[in-house]
């Protein structure tokens, strides 16, 4: 399974006998969460899924292992959704590497991508010196990104792909890729549960051959949406009722909108809470509202129907905060602030202020990346380190209520059972969680027909797919269906991964190509008698038909039914023929002959004896040439008994009968090669058969 | 061998009638479009009525009456019950178009061909697809794949590609190759060599399409000229199709020029239309979606256009010059007709037509040259009943109600007798004072009875009218009351239910005013009177139809070069013209069937599938040519385990084949190539290319066609024996692949 990573760069892989090799290599998100990036290559086509960063690191360390691949070979890059761990290294990849393929994402993803990354650049400027990219790069990348609508099929270089709704966040997609009939599904982050505004992930119509699936939740089971919403609102209600403050550190986009919808509705139903303010402290979320208000069609029916009355994303009880300076901390309130991991920024500033008061509460609503403060406080340590380096007691209540829109175990296993992919590749999950999931999935698919893999970063999964190439014979060539043993000859046209065989005359009918005939006509000065030419040609060529040109009444000759020699005038003759290699050669020799006559070179007297002798000589020469050519091809060639040639390569021996061209030997491959070589040598050395029917 | 394909038009051939065609693919019947015109003449649908029940799927291409107007009627009256496929905008905007049509009609006539409910139910089961989505049909249509592709013309407008066994049938009507403000151009050109192309010849004879920016300037100049002298401008438009482009033009121009003249967009559904259109950005042109992605500017956040849904609002608007876009474009009904009648006699006003009116409508009449001085118009109006009429109506209604109630009570009586029979004893004690009750009934007379009758009918056995009382008997077992666990399950859906129903009834988003209008059941009647309207206002027609013109149609078809071509939807002359043109230079199989004439366009293509063995393929050397690769194969049919034929390399040496030169020589390109190689080259007369001093090169035989539909190219090179000759011949050979 594992292969040296360097081999990825070499595109010329030895062909396996079982079929064509398909390689899947996670460049990020292999046994980890964050910096999703999965490389895939099959039959010379290369695809990269997602292009994220690891939010826990900064600078180059946050990037996926791009050095492992040659970016210039990638045909298509597909981005599933706008989250930083799926899309944030895109500007870097587009602007700072040799990548020259095409990039696709959905409309909503593209609209939010720009806002999100611009914000990311601004925020990280504070803490990071080595910027991966700047705003300019983001704007430039926007021009290169193409959009794809759900279910729309796009074809690039023979790679067909389309996407399905993935739930998770607005615009999130699962990509199905079809290369030469082999289908690969990459789920990205997905959720099979419908929530307040998003649809559940769709079940693809076709079962894929490989399913690259996220495993964030591992074997966990989510509480039902109803219960966790109640827990969420209960905690908030009781905290503010006791005069406490509630901090909800949440990533600005995605889950935050869902939580705001819940809060707004809860407040609307509880008039006693109306005097307690709710803030969302994210200018970014505010900016993205326009996007949420526009791509209503990507959301579920519930929102679409609400939209009929009023826009559900225009909140009545929630106000926006631009910075901590606008915030007056005077009493109970609910604040939703980013970042979700409490690394820095507004959420961290509030946390530092509020963490030592036991009336306050902090609700962590989603997945926490390893190494962030949010992950630390979930274990309820006694003390925490503040941003200024001091330590403070952690007295505030910490609640973890997962609103994470990642599929849980129940969803994952039913999803996989419906699809029944023969190969499952787990990505985007913590190593331990992933291992547990893998074990549990093994018990779900005990028949042994399903392979489940969880490659580490840069570890390649190699799969082999039967490369059964099918062709369609069409047009005149297909008028009669051939039986076994009949021959089929025609032009094979390959477009993408489809093959068609057709007669040359049909080429223009079934493809955009066309055939051509080139007629050549040259005139040669010749002032002698035409009869001389007739005589000379007759001596050299086997078939010379003389006739008279109908228009001019002058004599004409047709040599081998290919080249017409005509007397144009007293001083010129003309040659006319239709181009192909043999006719060109015949005409060249006629030209030479005619020129020779003009030069009055003494006649060559052909003697019968000489002819016989030369035939023998020729025979010897031919043998010599064949021998020399075989030596140059195979090296060790000896003359064996009965005039057979003994060819030995790497200990394999083949006997070649020069007369019949039959080859005997143990090794099939060598036999075949010798046979083909001899066939070619023979056709080069022996006279060309002139009739080409 | 191939897939059988039959086409029979049901409406809209050899004239400009609405579109509706039946295409049968291996016995699976597609109804392509289901249009009606603004006159709603049921006789047009007769051919459809004969086949409606056999239709297996309906494909809609554009959200206007001509393409989907008959859908509600056909579903309700003609027995059409097949699933309908359309893009999301076609579905939504089509629905709104039909609402608008219905409401406009209802205002002026006792329109009873279909109702709002019929529209709703017709559109309820539309399966919505996105562009380029390959939808695999199941069941009877197993193996058929349908996909809508961008057509231009209208938002969501589609050309349909139907594929079965690799054979493509393309239905492309009213496409536009030009990119517009809100729409991308069609992708029809990207289809190559479909088996059948069904297309319209509507614009085949129309060629003088001006450049779009000239046209825009002229359009805006005309409007502002009239506004500046104090006139009003009326643009009769469709409900939700081409009007979007006009709105964008006006909106952009108004913000550039900071005009203060108000623009009104007046249809019964204008605000809903724009609300929906705002969320259809992904269906619009690249520039619109790009501007949203970068700056979140929604192009349809109209700042200069006021959306109105009834005429009173327009009448109440401040006086002064204004621009009004109102439906219907045909002036047969809708606000546009009323406004036209009001404004026609003021010479300062302008009526600007942006599309050719449908045949036989007022708009068409006004577009004739020279425009008529007077038109006779029948104006109808729905007025609420008043005075005696109202009383008469109410009495009539009451009488009907009473009769119904009586009938109901009789039925109920029977029922109650049957069901409450055994209960009679238990109800006995309730009769407290029979006499008083009777008095009550008697004294209060019919009014009291009315109230009671409306809701229920008291069982005749009861002594006094009272609401039925049913004893709620609970089942008991030894543990107490029997519990149904389902009653205690928390249902997730419950939480959403409230919201779901909020929009529910009128499928989709409609503002309250419109909704109330729709649900208005006040008694009313239609009165009509004939008017002679003096047409003294200016009448101008400009082409904003958004269809490709004749020249582009021809070049598009030539580029697509279908194996068989079916022409529909155009006047007889245009059809004949395009047919002749296509026969001469595009393909030999051109059909223009008449109504209900079935043409068989089954391809006579022979084909069979073979497997290419690895052994064979490893010896094939492909040569790349454009986006395909070609090679010559000599092979032998071998055996495989399965039923497939497998091609294997020849056992013996293959007989040499006639060499083929593959490639497409363009004289112009070759000329440049030669001159880049330092050969002196120029075009001589008759399309011949003079290379160097002596050598000439020319194409002989039929030339000037793209795709080479008529056969291989013939190239003649001639010259005297000289070095140049062989050099140029080598260059020529380099343009081809020899197989």
């Amino acid at each position: 399974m594992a292969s040296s990573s360097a081999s990825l760069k070499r595109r010329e892989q030895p062909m396996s006998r079982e079929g064509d090799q398909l390689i899947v290599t996670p460049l990020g998100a292999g046994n980890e969460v964050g910096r999703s990036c999965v490389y895939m290559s099959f039959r010379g086509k290369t695809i990269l899924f997602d292009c994220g960063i690891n939010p826990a690191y900064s600078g180059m360390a946050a990037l996926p292992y791009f050095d492992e691949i040659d970016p210039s070979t990638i045909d298509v890059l597909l981005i599933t959704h706008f989250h930083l761990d799926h899309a944030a290294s895109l500007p870097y990849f587009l602007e700072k590497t040799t990548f020259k393929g095409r990039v696709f994402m959905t409309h909503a993803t593209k609209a939010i991508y720009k806002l999100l990354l611009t914000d990311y650049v601004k925020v990280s400027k504070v803490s990071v010196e080595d910027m991966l990219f700047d705003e300019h790069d983001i704007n430039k990348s926007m021009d290169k990104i193409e959009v794809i609508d759900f279910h729309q099929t796009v074809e690039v270089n023979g790679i067909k792909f389309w996407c399905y709704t993935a739930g998770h966040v607005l615009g999130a997609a699962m990509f199905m890729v079809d290369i030469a009939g082999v289908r690969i599904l990459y789920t990205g982050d997905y959720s099979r549960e419908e929530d307040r505004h998003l649809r559940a992930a769709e079940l693809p119509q076709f079962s894929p051959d490989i399913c690259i699936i996220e495993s964030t939740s591992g074997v966990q089971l989510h509480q039902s949406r109803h219960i966790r919403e109640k827990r969420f609102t209960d905690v908030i209600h009781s905290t503010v009722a006791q005069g406490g403050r509630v901090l909800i550190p949440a990533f600005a986009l995605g889950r935050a909108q869902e939580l705001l919808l819940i809060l707004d509705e809860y407040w609307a139903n509880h008039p006693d809470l109306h005097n307690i303010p709710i803030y969302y402290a994210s200018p970014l979320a505010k900016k993205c509202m326009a996007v949420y208000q526009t791509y209503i069609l990507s959301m579920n029916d519930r929102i679409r129907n609400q939209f009929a009355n009023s826009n559900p994303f225009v909140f009545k009880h929630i106000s926006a905060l631009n910075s901590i300076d606008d915030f007056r901390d005077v009493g109970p309130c609910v604040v939703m602030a980013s970042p979700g991991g409490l690394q820095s920024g507004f959420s961290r500033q509030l946390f530092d202020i509020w963490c030592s008061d036991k009336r306050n509460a902090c609700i962590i609503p989603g997945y926490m990346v390893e190494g962030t403060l949010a992950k630390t406080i979930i274990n309820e340590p006694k003390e925490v380190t503040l941003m200024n380096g001091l330590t403070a007691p952690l007295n505030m209540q910490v609640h973890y209520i997962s609103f994470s829109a990642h599929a849980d175990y129940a969803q994952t296993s039913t999803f996989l059972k419906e699809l029944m992919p023969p190969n499952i590749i787990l990505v985007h999950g913590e190593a331990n969680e992933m291992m547990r999931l893998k074990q549990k999935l093994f018990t779900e698919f005990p028949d042994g027909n399903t392979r489940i893999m969880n490659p580490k970063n840069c570890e390649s999964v190699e799969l082999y797919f039967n490369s059964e190439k099918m062709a369609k014979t069409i047009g005149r060539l297909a008028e009669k269906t051939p039986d076994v043993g009949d021959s089929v000859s025609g032009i094979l046209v390959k477009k993408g991964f489809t093959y068609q065989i057709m007669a040359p005359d049909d080429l223009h009918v079934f493809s955009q190509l066309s055939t051509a005939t080139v007629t050549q006509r040259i005139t040669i000065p010749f002032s002698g008698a035409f009869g001389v030419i007739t005589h000379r040609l007759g001596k050299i060529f086997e078939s010379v038909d003389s006739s008279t040109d109908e228009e001019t009444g002058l004599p004409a000759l047709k040599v081998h039914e290919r080249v017409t020699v005509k007397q144009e005038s007293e001083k010129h003759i003309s040659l006319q023929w239709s181009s192909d290699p043999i006719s060109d050669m015949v005409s060249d020799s006629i030209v030479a002959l005619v020129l020779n006559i003009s030069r009055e070179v003494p006649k060559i007297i052909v003697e019968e004896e000489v002819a016989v002798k030369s035939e023998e000589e020729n025979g010897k020469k031919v043998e010599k040439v064949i021998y020399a050519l075989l030596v140059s091809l195979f090296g060790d060639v000896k003359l064996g008994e009965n005039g057979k040639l003994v060819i030995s390569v790497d200990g394999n021996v083949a006997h070649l009968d020069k007369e019949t061209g039959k080859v005997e030997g143990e090794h099939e491959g060598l036999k075949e090669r010798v046979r083909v070589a001899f066939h070619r040598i023979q056709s080069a050395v022996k006279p060309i058969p002139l009739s080409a029917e | 061998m191939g897939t059988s394909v039959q086409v029979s038009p049901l409406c809209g051939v050899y004239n400009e009638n609405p579109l509706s065609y039946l295409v049968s693919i291996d016995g699976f019947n597609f109804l392509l479009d289901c249009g009606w015109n603004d006159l709603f003449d049921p006789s047009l649908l007769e051919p459809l009525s004969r086949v409606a029940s056999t239709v297996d799927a309906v494909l809609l291409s554009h959200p206007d009456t001509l393409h989907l107007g008959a859908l509600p009627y056909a579903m309700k009256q003609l027995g059409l019950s097949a699933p309908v496929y359309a893009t999301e905008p076609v579905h939504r905007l089509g629905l709104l178009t039909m609402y608008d049509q219905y409401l406009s009609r209802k205002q002026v006539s006792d329109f009873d061909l279909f109702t709002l409910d019929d529209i709703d139910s017709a559109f309820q089961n539309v399966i919505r697809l996105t562009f380029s989505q390959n939808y695999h049909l199941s069941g009877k249509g197993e193996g058929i794949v349908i996909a809508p592709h961008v057509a231009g013309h209208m938002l969501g407008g589609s050309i349909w590609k139907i594929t079965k066994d690799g054979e493509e049938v393309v239905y492309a009507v009213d496409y536009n190759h030009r990119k517009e403000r809100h729409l991308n151009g069609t992708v029809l050109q990207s289809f190559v060599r479909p088996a059948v192309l069904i297309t319209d010849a509507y614009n085949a004879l129309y060629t003088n399409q001006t450049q779009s920016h000239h046209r825009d300037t002229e359009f805006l100049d005309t409007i502002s000229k009239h506004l500046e002298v104090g006139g009003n401008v009326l643009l009769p438009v469709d409900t939700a199709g081409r009007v979007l482009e006009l709105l964008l033009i006006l909106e952009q121009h108004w913000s550039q020029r900071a005009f203060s003249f108000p623009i009104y967009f007046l249809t019964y559904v204008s605000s809903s239309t724009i609300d929906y259109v705002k969320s259809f950005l992904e269906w619009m042109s690249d520039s619109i979606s790009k501007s949203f992605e970068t700056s979140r500017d929604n192009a349809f956040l109209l700042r200069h256009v006021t959306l109105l849904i009834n005429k009173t609002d327009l009448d109440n608007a401040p006086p002064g010059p204004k621009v009004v876009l109102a439906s219907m474009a045909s002036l047969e009904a809708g606000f546009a007709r009323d406004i036209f009648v009001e404004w026609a006699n003021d010479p300062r006003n302008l009526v600007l037509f942006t599309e050719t009116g449908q045949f036989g409508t007022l708009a068409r009449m006004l577009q004739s040259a020279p425009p008529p001085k007077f038109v006779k118009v029948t104006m109808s109006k729905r007025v609420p009943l008043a005075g005696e009429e109202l009383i008469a109506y109410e009495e009539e209604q009451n009488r009907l109600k009473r009769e119904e109630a009586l009938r109901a009570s009789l039925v109920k009586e029977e029922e109650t007798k049957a069901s409450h029979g055994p209960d009679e004893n238990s109800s006995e004690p309730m009769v407290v004072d029979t006499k008083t009750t009777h008095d009550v009934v008697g004294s209060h007379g019919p009014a009291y009875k009315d109230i009671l009758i409306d809701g229920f009918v008291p069982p005749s056995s009861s002594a006094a009218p009272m609401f039925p009382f049913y004893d709620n008997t609970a089942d008991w077992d030894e543990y107490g009351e029997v519990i149904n666990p389902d009653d205690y399950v928390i249902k997730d859906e419950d939480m959403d239910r409230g919201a779901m129903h909020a929009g529910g009834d009128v499928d989709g988003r409609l503002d309250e005013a419109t909704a109330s209008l729709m649900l208005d059941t006040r008694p009313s009647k239609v009165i009509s009177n004939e008017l002679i309207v003096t047409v003294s206002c200016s009448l101008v027609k400009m082409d904003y139809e958004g269809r490709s013109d004749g020249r582009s149609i021809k070049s598009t078809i030539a580029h697509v070069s279908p194996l068989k071509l079916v022409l529909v939807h155009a006047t007889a002359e245009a059809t004949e013209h395009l047919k002749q043109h296509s026969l001469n230079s595009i393909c030999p199989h051109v059909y223009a069937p008449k109504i209900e004439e079935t043409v068989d366009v089954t391809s006579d293509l022979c084909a069979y599938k073979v497997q290419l063995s690895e052994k064979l393929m490893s010896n094939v050397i492909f040569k790349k040519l454009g986006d395909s690769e070609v090679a010559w194969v000599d092979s032998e049919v071998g055996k495989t385990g399965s039923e497939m034929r497998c091609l294997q390399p020849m056992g013996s040496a293959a007989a040499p084949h006639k060499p083929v030169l593959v490639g497409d020589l363009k004289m112009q390109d070759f000329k440049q190539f030669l001159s880049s190689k330092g050969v002196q080259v120029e075009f001589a007369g008759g399309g011949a290319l003079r290379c160097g001093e002596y050598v000439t090169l020319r194409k002989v035989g039929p030339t000037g066609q793209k795709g080479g539909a008529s056969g291989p190219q013939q190239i003649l090179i001639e010259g005297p024996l000289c070095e140049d000759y062989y050099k140029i011949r080598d260059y020529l050979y380099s343009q081809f692949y020899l197989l």
Side-chain angles (χ1 to χ4, degrees), chain A residues 55-228:
Chain A
Y57 301 107
S58 59
M60 288 291 189
L63 290 179
Y65 295 95
F66 288 140
D67 333 349
E68 296 296 322
I69 52 160
D70 178 0
S72 65
T73 61
I74 289 166
D75 296 295
V76 183
L77 171 50
L78 303 174
I79 304 289
T80 56
H81 64 279
F82 58 72
H83 274 154
L84 289 177
D85 60 335
H86 290 261
S89 59
L90 188 58
Y92 174 86
F93 196 69
L94 290 182
E95 302 301 326
K96 309 279 168 80
T97 69
T98 54
F99 174 74
K100 53 183 193 300
R102 294 169 67 180
V103 193
F104 289 89
M105 54 174 77
T106 60
H107 286 89
T109 305
K110 189 178 177 188
I112 296 177
Y113 157 84
K114 182 182 179 252
L115 295 169
L116 188 61
L117 287 207
T118 315
D119 182 72
Y120 169 73
V121 166
K122 276 189 201 136
V123 171
S124 52
K125 240 176 201 163
V126 188
S127 56
V128 185
E129 288 82 29
D130 48 348
M131 291 293 299
L132 291 170
F133 49 85
D134 54 23
E135 240 183 291
H136 181 64
D137 293 326
I138 299 170
N139 290 335
K140 260 174 46 192
S141 76
M142 284 297 280
D143 296 335
K144 297 187 186 167
I145 297 169
E146 294 170 70
V147 282
I148 179 170
D149 208 346
F150 291 102
H151 302 124
Q152 180 188 353
T153 311
V154 177
E155 189 169 342
V156 176
N157 296 341
I159 307 169
K160 273 186 241 161
F161 56 90
W162 58 94
C163 59
Y164 297 99
T165 314
H168 193 61
V169 290
L170 182 66
M174 306 190 283
F175 280 98
M176 181 77 96
V177 177
D178 181 327
I179 303 178
V182 174
R183 293 207 178 94
I184 301 102
L185 178 72
Y186 178 78
T187 63
D189 292 355
Y190 77 108
S191 165
R192 293 273 289 154
E193 188 183 31
E194 181 164 324
D195 62 19
R196 247 152 225 273
H197 69 296
L198 294 170
R199 273 183 242 183
E202 280 170 280
L203 192 72
Q205 212 175 346
F206 313 100
S207 173
D209 296 294
I210 302 172
C211 182
I212 306 174
I213 193 166
E214 66 138 331
S215 43
T216 322
S217 303
V219 293
Q220 292 170 29
L221 290 175
H222 292 330
Q223 278 172 327
S224 93
R225 182 182 129 203
H226 189 69
I227 295 174
R228 58 175 197 252

Side-chain angles (χ1 to χ4, degrees), chain B residues 215-497:
Chain B
R215 186 187 56 177
D216 288 355
T217 332
E218 204 189 324
F219 174 72
L220 294 165
D221 283 352
T222 317
I223 291 178
S224 45
K225 211 169 69 200
H226 282 86
L227 290 173
E228 273 152 18
V229 297
N232 293 320
V233 180
L234 169 69
L235 291 101
V237 291
D238 53 8
T239 312
R242 298 297 309 158
V243 64
L244 301 176
E245 180 73 9
L246 300 174
L247 284 172
L248 275 196
I249 296 174
L250 292 172
E251 172 78 17
Q252 274 177 18
H253 188 67
W254 253 242
S255 31
Q256 277 164 21
R257 302 277 295 271
F259 272 164
S260 58
F261 304 112
I263 307 176
Y264 297 104
F265 176 34
L266 173 64
T267 72
Y268 284 101
V269 290
S270 61
S271 49
S272 319
T273 308
I274 297 302
D275 276 341
Y276 271 116
V277 167
K278 268 190 256 178
S279 63
F280 285 142
L281 290 192
E282 57 263 53
W283 301 84
M284 295 188 202
S285 69
D286 295 339
S287 55
I288 285 195
S289 51
K290 202 168 161 187
S291 92
F292 182 74
E293 278 152 12
T294 45
S295 58
R296 298 188 306 292
D297 272 342
N298 195 326
F300 279 94
L301 269 176
L302 303 170
R303 289 180 185 84
H304 301 273
V305 180
T306 315
L307 307 176
L308 301 178
I309 54 161
N310 65 54
K311 181 126 184 309
T312 349
D313 291 346
L314 182 68
D315 297 336
N316 294 339
K322 49 185 159 290
V323 181
V324 176
L325 298 97
S327 62
M328 305 282 157
S330 62
L331 291 181
E332 277 303 302
F335 296 122
R337 189 179 173 96
D338 304 343
I339 298 171
F340 168 74
V341 170
E342 272 175 43
W343 291 1
N345 53 14
D346 188 336
R348 288 177 306 170
N349 291 344
L350 165 72
V351 176
L352 180 55
F353 295 101
T354 53
E355 57 186 275
T356 313
Q358 285 174 26
F359 191 76
T361 61
L362 178 58
R364 186 62 165 257
M365 215 193 306
L366 294 167
Q367 285 166 18
S368 59
K373 289 271 183 303
F374 304 98
V375 283
K376 202 157 140 194
V377 183
T378 313
M379 288 307 289
S380 313
K381 216 172 146 190
R382 181 168 288 277
V383 287
L385 295 178
E388 281 179 21
E389 274 177 325
L390 183 63
I391 295 161
Y393 172 84
E394 277 172 352
E395 270 173 14
E396 176 72 9
Q397 290 297 311
N398 284 339
R399 193 179 60 78
L400 286 175
K401 236 188 233 172
R402 263 200 300 276
E403 270 174 20
E404 212 168 287
L406 200 65
R407 227 174 301 127
S409 72
L410 286 174
V411 174
K412 194 93 180 195
E413 203 170 319
E414 301 280 306
E415 279 173 11
T416 31
K417 262 190 190 152
S419 63
H420 282 272
D423 282 350
E424 256 174 312
N425 285 337
S426 61
S427 63
E428 204 80 12
M430 292 183 82
V431 184
V432 186
D433 192 344
T434 324
K435 210 175 176 192
T436 357
T437 332
H438 269 297
D439 278 346
V440 171
V441 175
S443 62
H444 285 271
Y448 180 58
K449 199 159 187 196
D450 257 3
I451 295 165
L452 287 172
I453 286 168
D454 230 14
F456 78 106
V457 180
S460 57
S461 57
S462 72
M466 67 168 281
F467 289 102
F469 169 76
Y470 300 110
D471 205 7
N472 194 4
T473 52
D475 286 336
W476 292 77
D477 57 17
E478 53 262 54
Y479 301 105
E481 194 174 346
V482 175
I483 291 170
N484 181 4
D486 284 347
D487 295 343
Y488 298 90
V489 170
I490 299 161
K491 289 196 184 95
D492 266 4
E493 299 90 63
D494 275 352
M495 305 200 307
D496 304 338
R497 196 151 289 166

Side-chain angles (χ1 to χ4, degrees), chain B residues 18 21 40 146 279 317 327 384 497 597 625 680:
Chain B
Y21 313 101
F40 290 106
I146 55 171
S279 63
S327 62
R497 196 151 289 166
E597 179 195 346
L625 210 71
Q680 206 189 353

Side-chain angles (χ1 to χ4, degrees), chain A residues 150 153 307 469-471 473 485-486 488-490 492 494 509-510 514-517 519-523 584 679, chain B residues 130 132 193 509 605 608 610 612 629 631 633-635 637 644 653 661 663 713 715 717-719 721 725 729 733:
Chain A
F150 291 102
T153 311
F307 179 65
K469 295 182 186 79
M470 300 300 298
T473 314
D486 288 357
V488 175
S489 298
L492 180 64
K494 177 188 176 192
V509 181
F510 300 112
S514 58
T515 54
T517 53
T519 310
Q520 304 194 37
R521 193 152 75 202
I522 55 173
T523 50
D584 283 2
H679 175 70
Chain B
T130 52
S132 314
R193 306 229 130 242
R509 183 191 171 108
L605 182 78
Y608 60 84
V610 289
L612 301 169
E629 291 170 66
V633 282
D634 281 314
S635 60
V637 179
M644 278 317 285
L661 288 174
Q713 310 175 68
I715 295 154
I717 172 169
E718 53 186 350
L721 184 66
Y725 179 85
R729 192 178 75 174
Y733 281 175

Side-chain angles (χ1 to χ4, degrees), chain B residues 521-728:
Chain B
T521 50
R522 269 181 303 157
S524 57
K525 64 164 183 178
V526 175
I527 48 167
S528 334
N529 56 327
E530 280 200 2
L531 294 174
I532 305 283
V533 177
T534 324
V535 186
S536 27
C537 64
S538 327
L539 297 171
V540 177
K541 182 175 169 263
M542 278 179 199
D543 173 30
Y544 275 96
E545 282 178 20
R547 291 185 176 99
S548 290
D549 66 347
R551 196 187 305 151
S552 332
I553 284 180
K554 284 172 198 162
S555 72
T556 308
I557 298 177
H559 192 270
V560 173
S561 58
L563 300 180
K564 296 193 173 178
L565 179 65
V566 180
L567 296 176
V568 294
H569 199 238
T571 56
E573 304 87 66
T575 311
E576 200 50 41
H577 172 82
L578 191 60
K579 186 175 175 180
Q580 286 312 322
H581 172 85
S582 310
L583 276 174
N584 289 336
S585 54
I586 296 168
C587 74
H589 306 288
V590 183
Y591 306 88
K594 298 197 166 55
I595 285 186
E596 292 194 278
E597 179 195 346
T598 305
V599 290
D600 192 344
V601 283
T602 305
S603 74
D604 28 344
L605 182 78
C606 310
Y608 60 84
K609 277 193 170 176
V610 289
Q611 193 179 327
L612 301 169
S613 66
E614 198 61 47
K615 239 181 190 174
L616 179 72
M617 292 311 285
S618 59
N619 282 326
V620 169
I621 300 153
F622 279 106
K623 288 174 179 171
K624 202 161 171 51
L625 210 71
D627 52 358
S628 42
E629 291 170 66
V630 291
W632 183 274
V633 282
D634 281 314
S635 60
E636 200 174 74
V637 179
K639 282 176 225 159
T640 48
S642 59
E643 297 205 340
M644 278 317 285
R645 291 177 193 85
C646 178
L647 291 188
Q648 282 164 349
M650 294 288 247
S652 53
H657 61 273
K658 199 167 173 282
V660 194
L661 288 174
V662 181
D664 195 2
L665 184 81
K666 300 243 164 33
M667 293 302 249
Q668 193 64 44
D669 298 347
F670 188 55
K671 178 179 176 240
Q672 282 184 355
F673 175 74
L674 283 181
S675 46
S676 76
K677 295 284 177 192
V679 180
Q680 206 189 353
V681 60
E682 62 183 8
F683 277 111
L689 192 66
R690 269 183 87 101
C691 317
E693 255 175 283
Y694 310 108
V695 184
T696 54
L697 191 79
R698 73 174 56 136
K699 276 190 175 179
V700 289
T703 49
Q705 279 160 40
K706 283 183 185 169
S710 67
Q713 310 175 68
Q714 308 232 334
I715 295 154
L716 179 67
I717 172 169
E718 53 186 350
L721 184 66
C722 59
E723 240 180 83
D724 265 4
Y725 179 85
Y726 287 98
K727 204 163 81 185
I728 286 158

